[in-house]
Amino acid sequence: MIRIAIAFLIALVVASITASIIQTQFNIAALQDWSVEIDLALRKEATFHDILNFSPTFAIILGTSLLFSLPIAYFIDRRRPNPEPIWFLVGGAVGLWVAFMIVDALLPMPTLIAVNRTIPGLLSMVACGGFAGYLFARISKVSGHSNHQGEGVTA
């Protein structure tokens, strides 16, 4: 159980930081499309600012979605003849996409996270959910043949 909790936290933190960096770069690119000058120092400053300030918000959304999607991925993985971490990748991505749809439907603004207003931005963020699911599966070792042959998942 400890291995699973640690794997969950590592996947959550790594994916949240990755998503923060991606969304910052998308936002900077959008500003540059409007001819706003952004030098490397400002780009770095904005990136670190968003890692500190956006990552926690993203982690709450991602973490909540993973609490639902990872058990579903585990259930599907267990019923496959050849278990693969791909189910956790798919589960993480789909779970985060559903979470974005729910959050956006409940809040007054069109989208909570600006990068999600474009297809490439949304796909990039959803990929971070997939990355979290895959990373979780690899670290926790909940997917694989050894667990299907009687070893089980232990801490």
Side-chain angles (χ1 to χ4, degrees):
M1 202 58 157
I2 292 172
R3 182 178 67 221
I4 291 172
I6 290 170
F8 184 86
L9 289 175
I10 290 171
L12 183 63
V13 169
V14 170
S16 295
I17 290 171
T18 302
S20 180
I21 293 168
I22 289 170
Q23 73 89 28
T24 302
Q25 302 316 308
F26 267 89
N27 291 340
I28 288 172
L31 289 171
Q32 289 177 321
D33 285 346
W34 293 347
S35 301
V36 175
E37 291 291 325
I38 299 176
D39 63 10
L40 184 58
L42 184 56
R43 184 180 289 268
K44 286 181 186 178
E45 182 181 334
T47 301
F48 287 119
H49 177 271
D50 283 354
I51 288 171
L52 294 175
N53 294 288
F54 175 74
S55 290
T57 301
F58 186 82
I60 291 168
I61 296 168
L62 176 60
T64 302
S65 73
L66 291 176
L67 288 175
F68 290 94
S69 64
L70 293 180
I72 293 168
Y74 180 79
F75 178 81
I76 292 169
D77 187 56
R78 286 290 171 241
R79 274 123 190 97
R80 304 297 302 165
N82 297 313
E84 294 290 334
I86 190 76
W87 297 109
F88 292 85
L89 183 148
V90 171
V94 170
L96 185 58
W97 178 77
V98 169
F100 285 152
M101 298 304 110
I102 292 169
V103 168
D104 291 342
L106 296 176
L107 294 176
M109 67 279 282
T111 54
L112 175 65
I113 301 171
V115 73
N116 290 346
R117 293 181 189 137
T118 68
I119 296 297
L122 177 62
L123 292 176
S124 295
M125 298 306 280
V126 167
C128 290
F131 176 55
Y134 182 80
L135 191 57
F136 169 79
R138 298 305 295 186
I139 295 170
S140 68
K141 299 181 179 9
V142 296
S143 178
H145 286 290
S146 63
N147 293 335
H148 290 270
Q149 296 172 352
E151 286 184 26
V153 178
T154 60

